[in-house]
Amino acid sequence: MRIIDMFSYAFSAIRLRKLRAGLTTLGVVIGIAAIVALLSITQGLQTAISSQLQRGFATDTLIVSAGGGLGGGNEFNLLVKDAQTIRELENVTASIAVIQRICYVKSSGLTRRVTVIGVDFVAYRDIYSSTFVAEDGEIPLNPEEDAVIVGKQVSDPWNNGTLFCTTGDTLEIIWTNTTARPLRNETYTGRVVAVLREVGGFTVGGPSDSRVYIPISKAQSFFGTETCELIIVKLKSDDKAMIDSTAKAIREALGSGVTVTSSTAVLNIISNVFSTIELFLAGIAAISLLVAGIGIMNIMIVSVMERTREIGILKALGMKNRQVLLIFLCEAAIIGFLGTLIGIGAGWSLAQIVVRIFGSSSGAGGLRQAGQAVVSNGTTITPVLTPTVILGAIVFGLAVTMLFALYPAWIAAKLKPVEALRYE
Amino acid sequence: MAKTIIKTVDLRKTYMQGKIPVEALRSVNLEVEEGEFLSILGPSGSGKSTLLNLIGALDKPTGGRLFIENIDVSTLNDNQLADLRMKIGFVFQFFNLIPRFTAKENVELPMAIAGLSKGVRGKRAEELLEMVGLASRMNHKPTELSGGEQQRVAIARALANNPRFLLMDEPTGNIDSKNAFEIMQLVKKLNEEKGVTIIMVTHDQRLAAEARRTVHMLDGMIVSETVN
Ligand SMILES: Nc1ncnc2c1ncn2[C@@H]1O[C@H](COP(=O)(O)OP(=O)(O)OP(=O)(O)O)[C@@H](O)[C@H]1O
Ligand SMILES: [Mg+2]
């Protein structure tokens, strides 16, 4: 029997039970749609985040922090002057200390809670030359002690042109000194010299839209500290061997209390986390496809029983066992293929709808807590449907339907002609 | 002397009804020559259908030998049996047409199974339906045809792959007498004009007499033979 005739025979059988075939197909549609929607959203999220990360990260930098990992700290204190020690190491072109405190800033009667960063403006701009850029005003080469640079979101928090503060404004900075007894609010008045261009996305150590920057010397005196939270180290290049050897040198110079993190390592960790999440979600979605597969098996067993006599006729007319098997597999293939195609379309539409509903602003917000130094801003997610996902869905959808159809088809193939013909 | 196309030697078939063996065929010896029109007559339960199913390779004997064109059927595997069935035309009491197919599609089916192209089998199906007198009803489904018409479709279908012989199990058992007569005329014409070898099972004396030779069965054995 020709393949085309097998398919047309299978198709005629499907057409006979439209509702049943439709419902069976629906199972496949739902399973595939779930997989495609989840994969295209997570991949979209991943693309969005990694593109933001690429922007916010300088791959030739190392982040030095105290204790166990990013932002953590125990007994060991990282000192501002450690930056000097690091600067003298081989392959290091710049090394700057970052002091970081939660403060309140007050401008024209309004108060906002922000993270204030004490940093050497010029060195910082050299490292993050594409993101630490003034949109308004100018980053001073020799900043006054009261100079303040604000992120875009601090200046324009409502994103509608109603500014909280802008270049030339004075900004009262209030910090609660928790080591003083009784607690005391320290206050000084700064002057906004520049508003940063919008950065967006995440960063480790790099500039962010929601922060306020003051000179490192002012931070030291105002917060009354010699310690810093991070030291950002810029290397000659992002060569892997150089990153590793310098990281080792830093650990040797400062002792085992420091953690040296390379930006690429952070990128890798984040992308690993995403792969895991993606796999997990796809796994859950795959279960729904398995359920659909069981549905197919169930329906097909019923169908084989109903059509026992028909199978007997086919065999009496000379059809071989293998051909009977193939006819039933063809039926499953038609349902599987149709269901998969519709499922891909449905999943893609679902992804678009989900992204619209949950919107751009909150999309990546869940990662806000991912690390003290990792910051998220509005990240727009566009679902991504790669050819790999499409092909994978087709292969997987077909494979599952065929696999579950195999047993019923085998039952059909094994029927004895006389017995099948006698079946009422 | 025409050549023998079917030969059974001590053919036996025992069914197990639960634990009780039922001997449906007990040593059947029969020879059928090419071009013959043979009827098998016997009361209900005498083993006529059992014998026909064995000759049609739809079932396997429990003992004895069955030769079709000198090939020992018991040595064939499932695939070879399927190939053999393709060369045997079977006509059933209950027609056994595929309800969702039209008359023409039903006649095309065995040719599709044999791997003929759509064009070839369509043309042949039309010729066959014309021959059985259904030229005007080719695109009707079985439910839109009378019993007699359905059996004609079944006969056309049985002839589709130019079978070695035609096996008919009570072909008029489900048809009123007027139509039954017409079917018998058609069967006789096939035998006389086209030289088709025919074995027909019936329990009706008068129908059996239409054949040139009749074997009488009783309790799973051939008890006598008459030439009409
Ligand atoms: N599948 C089966 N299992 C058990 N016994 C069977 C089976 N098929 C047939 N028999 C028995 O074998 C014997 C012969 O049956 P068979 O159908 O060949 O008779 P028949 O001559 O065709 O009868 P009828 O004229 O009623 O069709 C009967 O006793 C029947 O009960
Ligand atoms: Mg019978």
Side-chain angles (χ1 to χ4, degrees):
Chain A
M1 195 168 187
R2 297 174 181 214
I3 271 289
I4 172 126
D5 290 325
M6 288 198 183
F7 269 105
S8 92
Y9 189 92
F11 193 68
S12 78
I14 289 173
R15 254 195 358 209
L16 197 64
R17 301 244 181 277
K18 288 194 194 74
L19 181 65
R20 187 192 289 180
L23 290 175
T24 319
T25 312
L26 191 63
V28 181
V29 170
I30 291 170
I32 291 289
I35 293 175
V36 167
L38 282 170
L39 284 184
S40 58
I41 291 171
T42 45
Q43 286 198 355
L45 191 60
Q46 196 173 4
T47 309
I49 289 170
S50 51
S51 78
Q52 297 285 9
L53 283 172
Q54 306 292 4
R55 240 190 297 159
F57 275 70
T59 50
D60 55 358
T61 58
L62 290 174
I63 309 288
V64 181
S65 55
L70 285 173
N74 35 33
E75 264 100 276
F76 183 84
N77 277 324
L78 200 59
L79 301 177
V80 174
K81 67 176 196 291
D82 288 335
Q84 184 60 39
T85 314
I86 294 171
R87 197 169 301 142
E88 277 150 21
L89 296 173
E90 210 186 339
N91 297 325
V92 173
T93 60
S95 166
I96 53 168
V98 175
I99 295 177
Q100 160 174 321
R101 292 286 184 281
I102 306 287
C103 297
Y104 287 89
V105 290
K106 200 162 156 190
S107 174
S108 47
L110 288 170
T111 305
R112 285 175 60 78
R113 188 172 181 270
V114 294
T115 302
V116 171
I117 305 281
V119 77
D120 180 336
F121 289 170
V122 175
Y124 198 57
R125 192 195 56 190
D126 286 347
I127 295 178
Y128 297 104
S129 53
S130 66
T131 46
F132 199 65
V133 179
E135 180 186 69
D136 190 43
E138 213 170 277
I139 294 170
L141 290 177
N142 277 312
E144 307 279 337
E145 280 292 279
D146 63 352
V148 172
I149 297 173
V150 299
K152 179 71 181 169
Q153 205 191 314
V154 176
S155 164
D156 185 9
W158 304 281
N159 210 6
N160 62 0
T162 309
L163 300 181
F164 174 73
C165 63
T166 186
T167 314
D169 288 358
T170 56
L171 201 61
E172 202 174 327
I173 298 179
I174 305 150
W175 172 64
T176 308
N177 186 345
T178 51
T179 54
R181 294 292 175 272
L183 291 186
R184 191 170 67 233
N185 276 350
E186 311 277 1
T187 304
Y188 86 94
T189 305
R191 202 168 39 79
V192 179
V193 295
V195 176
L196 294 181
R197 208 162 64 189
E198 188 163 0
V199 180
F202 300 84
T203 170
V204 174
S208 142
D209 293 331
S210 59
R211 294 181 170 180
V212 167
Y213 297 86
I214 63 176
I216 184 80
S217 50
K218 179 67 195 175
Q220 274 179 280
S221 60
F222 180 57
F223 299 127
T225 182
E226 287 305 312
T227 67
C228 62
E229 276 61 46
L230 303 172
I231 294 174
I232 299 166
V233 181
K234 185 175 163 67
L235 306 180
K236 279 192 183 132
S237 81
D238 60 2
D239 174 64
K240 175 98 173 57
M242 188 188 288
I243 288 174
D244 290 346
S245 71
T246 313
K248 190 156 164 272
I250 293 170
R251 273 193 292 270
E252 277 165 8
L254 301 184
S256 60
V258 294
T259 300
V260 184
T261 314
S262 71
S263 304
T264 36
V266 173
L267 274 179
N268 285 342
I269 290 168
I270 291 175
S271 89
N272 279 347
V273 166
F274 263 96
S275 304
T276 312
I277 292 174
E278 196 175 314
L279 210 67
F280 177 70
L281 291 177
I284 292 175
I287 290 172
S288 70
L289 195 60
L290 286 189
V291 173
I294 293 168
I296 288 172
M297 186 149 148
N298 183 21
I299 292 291
M300 280 193 70
I301 288 175
V302 172
S303 163
V304 166
M305 271 158 61
E306 280 182 356
R307 285 159 64 195
T308 298
R309 202 181 175 88
E310 178 185 322
I311 295 162
I313 297 169
L314 293 176
K315 291 199 160 186
L317 295 177
M319 191 178 273
K320 296 186 170 74
N321 296 355
R322 183 168 42 86
Q323 294 172 321
V324 174
L325 186 93
L326 282 176
I327 278 184
F328 279 88
L329 287 184
C330 282
E331 281 183 32
I334 292 170
I335 285 176
F337 191 66
L338 219 68
T340 304
L341 285 193
I342 299 172
I344 290 172
W348 177 239
S349 316
L350 190 69
Q352 304 287 351
I353 292 167
V354 167
V355 165
R356 297 266 147 80
I357 290 175
F358 293 99
S360 54
S361 60
S362 65
L367 283 167
R368 214 175 276 270
Q369 313 297 333
Q372 202 180 347
V374 180
V375 169
S376 90
N377 286 327
T379 301
T380 315
I381 303 161
T382 318
V384 176
L385 189 59
T386 59
T388 321
V389 170
I390 295 178
L391 213 70
I394 292 175
V395 169
F396 191 53
L398 270 180
V400 168
T401 31
M402 305 281 271
L403 195 74
F404 280 95
L406 208 55
Y407 176 66
W410 184 80
I411 295 179
K414 282 290 161 195
L415 283 174
K416 295 216 166 67
V418 239
E419 282 165 25
L421 280 167
R422 213 178 1 240
Y423 190 88
E424 291 304 320
Chain B
M1 180 69 190
K3 77 171 190 199
T4 302
I5 54 171
I6 300 164
K7 184 180 178 186
T8 75
V9 181
D10 191 24
L11 198 64
R12 291 159 192 276
K13 179 74 187 179
T14 309
Y15 292 109
M16 292 304 291
Q17 210 142 39
K19 287 207 154 100
I20 310 150
V22 180
E23 290 190 293
L25 289 184
R26 304 187 282 184
S27 187
V28 171
N29 294 288
L30 178 69
E31 276 189 45
V32 182
E33 284 173 1
E34 198 165 37
E36 251 201 283
F37 183 5
L38 173 77
S39 60
I40 302 175
L41 182 66
S44 186
S46 56
K48 309 180 295 291
S49 295
T50 304
L51 177 60
L52 208 67
N53 288 340
L54 289 179
I55 295 172
L58 292 175
D59 208 352
K60 289 172 182 172
T62 10
R65 291 255 177 284
L66 167 67
F67 298 93
I68 290 175
E69 293 190 315
N70 290 324
I71 295 164
D72 186 346
V73 176
S74 63
T75 63
L76 303 181
N77 63 25
D78 276 3
N79 263 344
Q80 292 165 320
L81 286 174
D83 281 335
L84 178 61
R85 286 195 287 267
M86 201 176 279
K87 287 285 159 195
I88 298 173
F90 229 110
V91 176
F92 305 91
Q93 180 175 353
F94 296 101
F95 325 129
N96 277 339
L97 300 173
I98 308 277
R100 63 174 177 277
F101 287 168
T102 63
K104 187 178 163 194
E105 288 165 340
N106 265 291
V107 178
E108 277 187 47
L109 185 56
M111 295 185 272
I113 293 172
L116 295 186
S117 73
K118 183 99 189 141
V120 173
R121 58 185 204 240
K123 192 161 161 288
R124 175 148 174 80
E126 282 170 17
E127 286 168 8
L128 286 164
L129 284 167
E130 233 163 84
M131 188 183 78
V132 298
L134 286 178
S136 61
R137 322 214 48 127
M138 291 188 201
N139 296 316
H140 288 65
K141 297 203 169 155
T143 46
E144 301 158 0
L145 298 171
S146 74
E149 285 169 334
Q150 288 185 59
Q151 198 59 300
R152 286 161 193 270
V153 176
I155 291 169
R157 181 180 68 180
L159 293 168
N161 283 330
N162 290 313
R164 296 282 177 278
F165 48 86
L166 217 52
L167 301 177
M168 309 177 115
D169 195 348
E170 314 227 15
T172 57
N174 234 21
I175 297 170
D176 64 78
S177 55
K178 179 180 162 287
N179 278 303
F181 176 75
E182 282 173 8
I183 292 282
M184 282 315 298
Q185 294 315 110
L186 172 64
V187 171
K188 275 168 83 171
K189 191 179 95 179
L190 283 174
N191 175 252
E192 282 159 15
E193 291 174 19
K194 312 265 171 188
V196 181
T197 311
I198 292 168
I199 302 176
M200 181 182 76
V201 160
T202 180
H203 55 248
D204 184 330
Q205 186 90 46
R206 282 175 302 134
L207 284 180
E210 300 280 350
R212 270 180 280 161
R213 180 161 74 111
T214 304
V215 293
H216 300 259
M217 284 192 75
L218 197 63
D219 290 339
M221 292 200 288
I222 293 175
V223 288
S224 64
E225 195 176 310
T226 51
V227 176
N228 305 307

